[in-house]
Amino acid sequence: MKCLVTGGNVRVLGKAAHSLSRIGDELYLEPLEDGLSLRTVNASRSAFACFLFAPLFFQHYQASRPPQGQPPRCKVLMKSFLSVFRSLAALEKTVERCCIALSTENSRLVIQLHCKHGVTKTHNLSFQECESLQAVFDPALCPHLLRAPARVLVEAVSPFSPALSEVTLGVSRGRRVVFRSYLEEDTDAARAMMTEMSLSEEEFQQLQAQEGASITFCLKEFRGLLSFAESANLLLNIHFDVPGRPAIFSIEDSLLDGHFVLATLSQSDLCSQEPCRPGQGTHSTTHLDDFANDDIDSYMIAMETTVSEGAAVTPRTPSPVSEEEAEPNVVPGTPPLKKFRSLFFGSVLAPTESPSEPNPVLAEDSEGEG
Amino acid sequence: MRFRAKIVDLGCLNHFTRVSNTISKLAKTCTLRLSPDKLYFILSDKVANGGVSMWCELGQGNFFDEFQMEGVAADHNEIYLELTPENLSRALKTAQNAKTVKIKLTNKHCPCLTVAVELPSLSSSSRIVTHDIPVGVIPRKLWTDFREPTVPDFDIIEANLKGEMNLKIETDLVCITTHFKDLGNPPWASEDASQDRDSENMAEARIDIKKLLQFLAGQQVNPTKALCNIVHNRIVHFILLHEDVSLQYFIPALS
């Protein structure tokens, strides 16, 4: 694999690296015919993020070196990759070209920054070959959609402290879009301040959701994509379903697209917490009695290592128990998101034909419940 | 018990925000006392505070366009709330370009001071940010804990009646003294029982410099007048006066 990024796109690539670093510790690189895919997942498997840079994003893009055929998939330490692009200001000011090449002979991912004044910085990152990292999700299957310029969403979350982990997003009476701070169970509710931001429907390009629809997800992870979207001045889409099913945050333009898939708190997690607020008719986004689905585990998807032809469209039968499936919730030392018990991962070998969408169609592992 | 207030003027809002920021730097929790004419931020001199105490008084008319309150009873028309001032500051921080800010006492899952900020938006309908700040209602029987401190019968120490003040620090290695001259002595100083005192005698108090620093560093409102009273080896009392706010801060002397 070999590609060359020039001009302002170097900074865009760097910004994507910063975004992805908010999610996971390892960066998976997959050179596809469609473009270069950068992916990551968090330790508890409750957040997945990927960017796909189309061939036109690059001055020069070569997915694989013939006659090798199948390009290697590799992963590198996020920290190492990020360190190349650490200072976005410096990238913008001094870097003219960035060349990324996978050297299988040395097992090194070589990133060369050609800077002004004849300076060249070469970074050799060791990589590991790995399976493709694939999350199974399909925005088209989500009944609710919210679309707005990134700037509106940045302003919408600005009242919340950077320390706030989770936020609830919903549609309240009068079709207002409401973001509300979510207080975890063990927070001292007596002391904690609750903040809510309410915006009119008119501020959104599209709002396809009924009143009462809401989800609770990790704000910190969302901010990762939000900051990228803002810097690229893009519209951001939020596709969501019932509580417990992952929400898909996406951006795209002609040269790239990005998807952040975040688990959401399920109905039972929510009910045990935030009590209904008496006399507060206007902002009732957490009244989730309408939602019958409180099946916490209904959204677990196995980590698979094989895929058959038809798997992309038919629901999968419960797969052989793999390590991750058996103990999805118990990941010692995970970040506070251990409450997000929804896993939505399917790890599949990339099919030899590139999918027209970056990820295959959703197929869930229902485990016979519900 | 009811309380509703509204600020519409941006200048008043900024001023109130600065007072709130100052208070939040001086106390982790304090008492907010509401009366029909005034607001008070009070920190009483408990051991937990390291002995310091604070009394800040604001005339509500100078800040609020609307201000309505009903106290606990007709003859005790006041409300005492325990509050974390940092929460108030954080709430006001989101109100920098606000059209209006409303503050009211509400009862959600617990008594709260709700700050509702109306922000401009590109659409015809404003954005609204709501903050629910949990507060504790202080029962009437404890109200006497929060009396305005009486100005103690002071001696002016390490400051004297001739308008000189010295600030001194001593460590094992070094002793530094800063001399201030030509300071004013408030008129009551010379009238008081201190008639018999030699105007040159210095009264002194040794205080924790961190507390002094916390007090001085936290100031965001420039006072028109600043007074410092010292009771020899007992307490140092600062009064900062501004046309609509007064702030008193007491730092006990170290034994």
Side-chain angles (χ1 to χ4, degrees):
Chain A
M1 186 268 294
K2 192 164 171 171
C3 59
L4 185 65
V5 187
T6 57
N9 283 353
V10 179
R11 187 179 193 275
V12 175
L13 186 63
K15 201 86 178 84
H18 280 262
S19 265
L20 292 167
S21 70
R22 303 287 283 266
I23 304 287
D25 296 326
E26 289 181 324
L27 179 69
Y28 290 69
L29 288 103
E30 254 186 80
L32 305 167
E33 288 307 309
D34 275 1
L36 179 64
S37 180
L38 302 179
R39 305 174 187 185
T40 188
V41 65
N42 73 355
S44 58
R45 298 288 197 258
S46 61
F48 166 84
C50 71
F51 283 94
L52 178 69
F53 296 93
L56 280 178
F57 177 83
F58 303 92
Q59 174 101 337
H60 168 75
Y61 178 73
Q62 182 180 10
S64 61
R65 196 165 9 145
Q68 271 184 343
Q70 188 82 345
R73 279 174 299 276
C74 70
K75 60 178 179 178
V76 296
L77 279 181
M78 183 69 76
K79 218 167 49 166
S80 311
F81 191 84
L82 186 64
S83 68
V84 179
F85 303 97
R86 167 87 55 208
S87 166
L88 294 169
L91 288 179
E92 190 156 21
K93 273 206 308 229
T94 63
V95 178
E96 289 166 350
R97 287 184 335 274
C98 167
C99 180
I100 306 179
L102 215 50
S103 160
T104 39
E105 302 87 56
N106 315 339
S107 285
R108 290 283 185 270
L109 179 72
V110 184
I111 307 180
Q112 265 196 333
L113 299 177
H114 299 267
C115 311
K116 286 189 177 144
H117 313 302
V119 173
T120 301
K121 299 181 193 173
T122 306
H123 299 259
N124 292 295
L125 281 62
S126 61
F127 69 79
Q128 252 186 292
E129 287 202 26
C130 59
E131 302 300 328
S132 169
L133 183 73
Q134 201 98 291
V136 185
F137 62 91
D138 183 4
L141 293 183
C142 295
H144 308 304
L145 169 64
L146 200 146
R147 172 183 293 148
R151 185 194 42 81
V152 171
L153 293 169
V154 167
E155 288 168 7
V157 300
S158 64
F160 302 102
S161 149
L164 181 66
S165 284
E166 282 117 26
V167 76
T168 300
L169 162 64
V171 181
S172 75
R173 259 206 293 200
R175 306 234 356 122
R176 288 188 72 89
V177 175
V178 178
F179 287 85
R180 181 190 297 162
S181 57
Y182 176 80
L183 304 173
E184 293 186 338
E185 274 163 29
D186 48 6
T187 314
D188 185 6
R191 287 258 156 260
M193 187 165 120
M194 200 285 303
T195 299
E196 186 178 277
M197 160 67 105
S198 149
L199 304 98
S200 143
E201 184 187 6
E202 293 168 28
E203 301 215 48
F204 295 82
Q205 270 226 354
Q206 200 171 340
L207 177 60
Q208 198 176 294
Q210 70 262 32
E211 289 176 11
S214 88
I215 46 166
T216 301
F217 55 89
C218 179
L219 177 61
K220 286 184 181 171
E221 288 167 347
F222 172 54
R223 286 191 202 265
L225 180 62
L226 195 53
S227 119
F228 180 90
E230 191 196 11
S231 69
N233 207 17
L234 295 172
L235 288 174
L236 197 145
N237 301 304
I238 306 178
H239 302 264
F240 62 104
D241 200 335
V242 296
R245 290 173 92 95
I248 305 163
F249 302 80
S250 69
I251 50 154
E252 69 178 333
D253 74 7
S254 52
L255 299 180
L256 59 86
D257 64 56
H259 289 82
F260 273 44
V261 187
L262 306 181
T264 64
L265 285 188
S266 68
Q267 170 71 10
S268 52
D269 287 321
L270 288 161
C271 274
S272 65
Q273 213 279 147
E274 185 113 308
C276 292
R277 320 224 283 103
Q280 288 300 307
T282 45
H283 309 294
S284 55
T285 56
T286 51
H287 292 167
L288 299 161
D289 308 330
D290 309 325
F291 295 99
N293 178 12
D294 64 357
D295 188 354
I296 297 166
D297 298 325
S298 69
Y299 216 68
M300 297 207 331
I301 300 174
M303 298 290 289
E304 282 193 345
T305 53
T306 53
V307 64
S308 57
E309 284 292 344
V313 285
T314 55
R316 275 188 283 126
T317 52
S319 54
V321 173
S322 68
E323 227 177 304
E324 282 89 354
E325 185 186 33
E327 299 206 347
N329 309 338
V330 183
V331 183
T334 44
L337 301 173
K338 50 184 176 289
K339 274 219 294 214
F340 286 86
R341 285 167 279 185
S342 304
L343 303 187
F344 49 87
F345 260 100
S347 166
V348 295
L349 284 178
T352 45
E353 75 289 338
S354 309
S356 53
E357 283 189 59
N359 294 287
V361 169
L362 175 69
E364 62 175 330
D365 182 355
S366 69
E367 284 199 56
E369 282 190 41
Chain B
M1 247 191 343
R2 273 173 28 108
F3 169 59
R4 306 170 77 89
K6 185 160 115 173
I7 304 180
V8 167
D9 177 70
L10 217 53
C12 293
L13 177 61
N14 288 339
H15 194 25
F16 187 67
T17 304
R18 283 197 296 269
V19 173
S20 168
N21 292 344
T22 302
I23 301 295
S24 70
K25 298 227 164 48
L26 294 177
K28 272 206 141 59
T29 55
C30 72
T31 301
L32 172 62
R33 173 183 163 193
L34 304 166
S35 75
D37 306 314
K38 293 198 177 159
L39 283 96
Y40 306 77
F41 291 96
I42 305 168
L43 182 67
S44 52
D45 58 350
K46 304 215 170 50
V47 174
N49 304 326
V52 301
S53 58
M54 170 191 70
W55 180 276
C56 178
E57 200 173 301
L58 294 83
Q60 61 91 345
N62 294 315
F63 295 89
F64 297 93
D65 291 273
E66 284 171 30
F67 190 93
Q68 298 154 21
M69 64 143 291
E70 267 170 41
V72 293
D75 54 344
H76 288 88
N77 195 22
E78 299 198 328
I79 301 175
Y80 283 65
L81 301 170
E82 194 188 343
L83 167 80
T84 302
E86 204 211 318
N87 285 340
L88 181 62
S89 288
R90 283 207 279 139
L92 292 172
K93 197 161 167 217
T94 64
Q96 277 173 359
N97 300 321
K99 286 157 83 166
T100 66
V101 174
K102 295 188 187 145
I103 306 180
K104 51 188 178 172
L105 190 56
T106 57
N107 192 8
K108 306 220 164 152
H109 50 280
C110 66
C112 285
L113 211 56
T114 294
V115 179
V117 181
E118 192 187 340
L119 292 170
S121 81
L122 292 175
S123 76
S124 56
S125 171
S126 299
R127 294 174 182 174
I128 302 177
V129 183
T130 312
H131 301 275
D132 292 322
I133 303 169
V135 292
V137 178
I138 299 176
R140 212 161 71 192
K141 62 179 191 279
L142 294 177
W143 286 11
T144 52
D145 287 353
F146 306 104
R147 267 190 288 237
E148 179 165 6
T150 47
V151 176
D153 190 22
F154 44 78
D155 312 316
I156 303 192
I157 295 186
E158 232 18 275
N160 61 20
L161 291 166
K162 277 178 81 174
E164 291 171 349
M165 179 168 87
N166 298 334
L167 285 179
K168 196 195 294 191
I169 60 162
E170 282 172 358
T171 69
D172 291 336
L173 297 174
V174 78
C175 170
I176 303 176
T177 308
T178 309
H179 301 271
F180 294 86
K181 287 194 173 39
D182 294 328
L183 300 171
N185 289 114
W188 60 78
S190 41
E191 287 163 13
D192 230 13
S194 43
Q195 294 286 356
D196 47 349
R197 198 177 318 155
D198 183 355
S199 62
E200 290 230 347
N201 272 353
M202 287 282 188
E204 72 175 38
R206 183 186 288 251
I207 60 174
D208 182 349
I209 197 167
K210 281 207 283 282
K211 296 201 169 62
L212 177 62
L213 184 61
Q214 185 183 18
F215 172 66
L216 294 173
Q219 293 311 310
Q220 294 204 1
V221 183
N222 280 329
T224 46
K225 202 165 189 167
L227 292 153
C228 172
N229 298 322
I230 307 175
V231 178
H232 186 64
N233 287 337
R234 286 241 333 265
I235 200 160
V236 178
H237 172 214
F238 294 95
I239 312 177
L240 301 181
L241 294 172
H242 193 274
E243 45 181 65
D244 38 22
V245 182
S246 74
L247 174 62
Q248 298 183 47
Y249 199 69
F250 295 80
I251 306 179
L254 299 169
S255 49

